Amino acid sequence: MSDARGRLIIISAPSGAGKGTVIRELRRLRPELRYSVSATTRAPRPGEEHGVDYIFVTPEEFEAMEARGEFLESETYVGRRYGTPRSPIERNIGDGADTILEIEVKGARKVRAKKPDALSIFLAPPSEQELRRRLRDRGTTPGEEFERRLDTAKKEMEAIGEYEYAVINDDPERAAQEIISIIDRS
Ligand code: 5GP
């Protein structure tokens, strides 16, 4: 981190690409990287913590944050709202810290338009079969939502070419290492 300002690093991955495990590896291998904590109207999953994994808010609270211009971008994903708070990012970047944004493809487009210097990485599952398996094994996703997430994930795969880099998650540690080498050489 020799630059005066940190960089924005967008990571998008279709639901079921195994992003959570890769990010855990990334945190372990590079503890100095910072992560943007998004606001969302979806319910917490078991083990998720308010303020750590997401800022969990009601739809009314989300709208109020949006109206105050607090988001760098916001999107609807599978019927829920998600937004990237602007001020922590500006602070991190100003401190010279590289900051990861884990956001879906429509939000990523908006961030790239506003911040053309942002580095963008697409994390993909090794196959559609593996994507289905991972989505199904996440026992916390109800049946109808599984179908919607699978549909969305397949559409999201089409956006892979919009990203500067694509990383295949065949193994989480290897994928995390590859992301680190991309960050280091960019
Ligand atoms: P999940 O509900 O599985 O945690 O996240 C669903 C999708 O929303 C994922 O693709 C995740 O990367 C994306 N997401 C999380 N936070 C944000 C955000 O602030 N903005 C946008 N556009 N997408 C987000």
Side-chain angles (χ1 to χ4, degrees), residues 6 67 106 111 130 151 154 162-163 176:
K106 290 178 288 167
V111 174
E130 181 62 15
D151 251 22
K154 285 202 256 178
E162 298 173 24
Y163 289 72

Side-chain angles (χ1 to χ4, degrees), residues 19 38 42 45 54 73 82-84 102-104 149:
K19 181 184 58 182
S38 296
R42 83 148 164 78
R45 295 192 187 117
Y54 280 105
E73 62 75 39
Y82 294 83
T84 305
E102 302 168 43
I103 59 177
E104 49 68 69
R149 281 187 177 252

